[in-house]
């Protein structure tokens, strides 16, 4: 695994960006942190093994090469196929928008049962999760029956089919994050290739109306900021309110997917240091007027290899399990063909988590010898906030 040492310092410009970003609202759990904490308390009381694992996690320094706890969070990819070809996403280059077969329900159940330390999962990877059909809803229910917090990400294109809008909320999903990257048809369909603007917008209204009828908040609108949609940012807050969202997050990151060609491609459309933080504050205020909590997400405080405390936490406390049960370090890579821990299907994730290769991967981070595929998330290893 080729590596190069990550610089420990950052530029004065990056420092100013981080300071400005820190003043903006950050994403919160839906509908609020209190709801999340109550659910986690139920999870810990539901399974004594989970509580004991969580206590070991809290007692650790969380940057151990050989942690004595199982992950408390996992990203689990039920499908690695998508019906969109978004301009900033690596799936757009996969043959027929698919990398591997779907995870089966039995495989998911075995993973959940083995990983008794889980308090939270993101049931989503590089694909559109609703392509998994009723198997996806069954996965959500299985995790929720064990009080595991479950969130997912969807392009909303399939919510009108097979009663999906009702099924996904009734499954007990805690958070449904919907990707909306523009508020007009031309820009939306340019970014989200394969989308039908009118259908997606009506599906957002459909699922939000159903939530309103139940008196629950489960959805969050998520927008990836880029040059194409940058002129629309203020209007997107109003668009979120029109679609019925109570929360909207603007992500300033366009990732590299651990690949040089995607870094070059996405850097070319990234707003980067040109982001207007005064505009962001006006967006927050407009959101308050409309009843939409506006927040911002970015790797503005990029990880720093100069201290164990400022290393990326992913290698030390969570991971990404792909639809074919291969293990990827994180969702920023999201593809075992780019970077994989171990080789092939991980029939026992615990064996992979406690194995020598994971330990070597963690040690490289501890030594500041950051793997090339991880450098995008470290100071001076990337461009822009």
């Amino acid at each position: 695994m080729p590596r190069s040492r990550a610089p420990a310092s950052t530029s004065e410009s990056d420092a100013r960006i981080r300071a400005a970003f820190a003043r903006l609202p950050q994403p919160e759990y839906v509908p609020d942190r209190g709801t999340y904490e109550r659910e986690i308390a139920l999870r810990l009381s539901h399974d004594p093994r989970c509580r004991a694992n969580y206590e070991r996690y809290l007692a650790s320094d969380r940057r151990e090469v050989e942690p004595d706890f199982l992950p408390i969070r996992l990203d689990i990819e039920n499908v690695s196929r998508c019906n969109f070809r978004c301009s900033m996403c690596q799936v757009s280059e996969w043959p027929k928008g698919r990398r591997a077969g779907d995870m089966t329900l039995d495989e998911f159940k075995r993973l959940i049962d083995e990983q008794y330390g889980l308090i939270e999962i993101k049931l989503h990877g590089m694909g559109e999760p609703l392509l998994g059909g009723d198997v996806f809803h069954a996965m959500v229910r299985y995790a929720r029956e064990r009080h595991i917090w479950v969130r997912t990400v969807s392009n909303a294109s399939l919510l009108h089919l097979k009663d999906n809008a009702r099924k996904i909320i009734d499954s007990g999903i805690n958070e449904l994050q919907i990707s909306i990257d523009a508020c007009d048809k031309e820009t939306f369909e340019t970014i989200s290739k394969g989308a039908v603007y009118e259908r997606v917008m009506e599906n957002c209204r459909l699922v939000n109306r159903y939530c309103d009828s139940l008196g629950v908040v489960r959805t969050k609108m998520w927008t990836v900021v880029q040059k194409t949609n940058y002129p629309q940012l203020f209007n997107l807050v109003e668009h979120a309110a029109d679609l019925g969202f109570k929360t909207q997050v603007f992500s300033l990151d366009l990732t590299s997917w651990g690949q040089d060609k995607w870094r070059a491609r996405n850097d070319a459309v990234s707003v980067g240091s040109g982001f207007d933080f005064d505009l962001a504050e006006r967006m927050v205020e407009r959101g308050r007027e409309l009843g939409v909590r506006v927040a911002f997400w970015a790797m503005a405080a990029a990880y720093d290899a100069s201290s164990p405390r400022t290393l990326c936490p992913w290698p030390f406390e969570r991971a990404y399990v792909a639809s074919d049960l291969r293990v990827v370090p994180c969702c920023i890579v999201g593809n075992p063909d780019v970077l994989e821990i171990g080789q092939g299907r991980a029939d026992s994730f615990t064996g992979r988590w406690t194995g020598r290769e994971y330990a070597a991967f963690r040690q490289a981070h501890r030594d500041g010898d950051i793997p090339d595929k991880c450098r995008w998330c470290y100071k001076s290893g990337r461009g822009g906030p």
Side-chain angles (χ1 to χ4, degrees):
M1 186 183 299
R3 302 183 181 94
S4 53
R5 185 164 299 275
S9 63
T10 186
S11 69
E12 183 179 342
S13 174
D14 284 344
R16 287 198 302 269
I17 291 170
R18 289 198 306 277
F21 178 75
R23 293 194 295 269
L24 297 175
Q26 308 296 299
E28 288 282 356
Y29 291 99
V30 170
D32 52 49
R33 176 164 289 276
T35 301
Y36 173 79
E37 291 175 348
R38 287 190 293 273
E39 193 62 37
I40 299 311
L42 287 173
R43 170 62 178 161
L44 296 177
S45 63
H46 175 79
D47 189 336
R49 299 174 303 165
C50 183
R51 178 179 292 279
N53 186 78
Y54 191 64
E55 289 173 351
R56 290 195 299 273
Y57 162 77
L58 293 177
S60 73
D61 70 7
R62 307 184 201 177
R63 295 296 187 275
E64 295 164 347
V65 172
E66 297 182 9
D68 67 348
F69 57 86
L70 293 175
I72 63 169
R73 298 178 178 88
L74 280 180
D75 279 24
I76 303 175
E77 179 184 67
N78 69 311
V79 300
S80 56
R81 54 191 174 103
C82 191
N83 55 339
F84 284 9
R85 304 290 183 270
C86 294
S87 59
M88 63 287 195
C89 180
Q90 62 181 329
V91 175
S92 64
E93 288 194 335
W94 292 354
K96 298 182 179 180
R98 179 174 189 154
R99 186 193 59 77
D102 299 350
M103 183 179 291
T104 69
L105 180 58
D106 285 343
E107 289 169 342
F108 176 82
K109 288 180 176 180
R110 284 196 296 271
L111 178 61
I112 292 295
D113 291 346
E114 175 194 333
Q115 294 304 302
Y116 56 80
L118 291 173
I119 63 172
E120 177 184 340
I121 65 171
K122 182 173 73 172
L123 188 52
H124 168 262
M126 293 308 306
E128 166 51 45
L130 285 171
L131 287 171
D134 284 344
V135 170
F136 167 75
H137 301 303
M139 289 176 172
V140 177
R141 289 195 301 272
Y142 192 79
R144 291 296 299 126
E145 287 165 0
R146 287 148 185 79
H147 298 288
I148 297 172
W149 184 273
V150 183
R151 61 190 176 99
T152 194
V153 181
S154 175
N155 61 33
S157 64
L158 305 176
L159 286 171
H160 66 294
L161 297 175
K162 300 180 180 179
D163 208 16
N164 276 325
R166 181 189 62 79
K167 286 178 180 177
I168 195 169
I169 302 304
D170 290 353
S171 70
I173 195 86
N174 297 102
E175 182 177 313
L176 169 60
Q177 177 182 307
I178 296 179
S179 301
I180 302 293
D181 292 321
C183 55
D184 71 279
K185 180 178 176 67
E186 181 180 359
T187 308
F188 185 85
E189 293 181 0
T190 296
I191 295 173
S192 300
K193 294 178 174 63
V196 177
Y197 172 81
E198 295 83 0
R199 178 77 276 165
V200 172
M201 299 308 124
E202 182 52 36
N203 283 354
C204 291
R205 295 186 179 95
L206 176 66
V207 72
N208 284 326
R209 283 196 301 266
Y210 185 63
C211 288
D212 289 345
S213 74
L214 299 177
V216 300
V217 178
R218 296 286 184 271
T219 65
K220 174 187 290 182
M221 179 168 147
W222 192 278
T223 300
V224 178
V225 177
Q226 48 202 286
K227 290 179 180 177
T228 312
N229 63 17
Y230 188 68
Q232 301 184 2
L233 295 192
F234 191 86
N235 291 340
L236 271 161
V237 178
E238 298 178 338
H239 192 54
D242 179 65
L243 295 176
F245 289 100
K246 308 298 190 297
T247 299
Q248 181 178 22
V249 177
F250 291 89
S251 172
L252 279 62
D253 284 332
L254 287 164
T255 76
S256 68
W257 309 115
Q259 301 166 67
D260 290 342
K261 63 180 179 181
W262 276 105
R263 173 167 183 172
R265 189 176 304 179
N266 282 339
D267 277 359
V269 296
S270 173
V271 174
S273 59
F275 185 78
D276 184 345
F277 287 92
D278 291 335
L279 169 64
E281 291 177 357
R282 295 196 300 272
M283 291 159 62
V284 171
E285 180 57 33
R286 182 57 176 151
R288 290 194 188 102
E289 295 170 356
L290 296 170
V292 177
R293 184 186 187 277
V294 174
F296 296 83
W297 168 255
M299 294 292 293
Y303 301 122
D304 188 343
S306 65
S307 166
R309 300 309 307 164
T310 55
L311 292 172
C312 170
W314 272 81
F316 305 94
E317 58 184 67
R318 66 188 298 179
Y320 178 115
V321 180
S323 67
D324 49 357
L325 301 184
R326 296 164 69 188
V327 178
V328 184
C330 72
C331 65
I332 299 299
V333 174
N335 182 352
D337 294 336
V338 173
L339 181 59
E340 181 179 7
I341 304 294
Q343 296 297 319
R345 294 168 60 89
D347 292 326
S348 170
F349 176 80
T350 300
R352 194 67 57 85
W353 178 254
T354 59
R356 292 181 179 178
E357 189 163 344
Y358 233 131
F361 184 72
R362 297 184 191 107
Q363 187 65 60
H365 282 260
R366 286 286 302 237
D367 291 343
D369 194 17
I370 305 302
D372 284 346
K373 305 301 184 184
C374 300
R375 283 178 53 80
W376 188 89
C377 293
Y378 279 80
K379 290 181 180 179
S380 300
R382 52 193 293 279

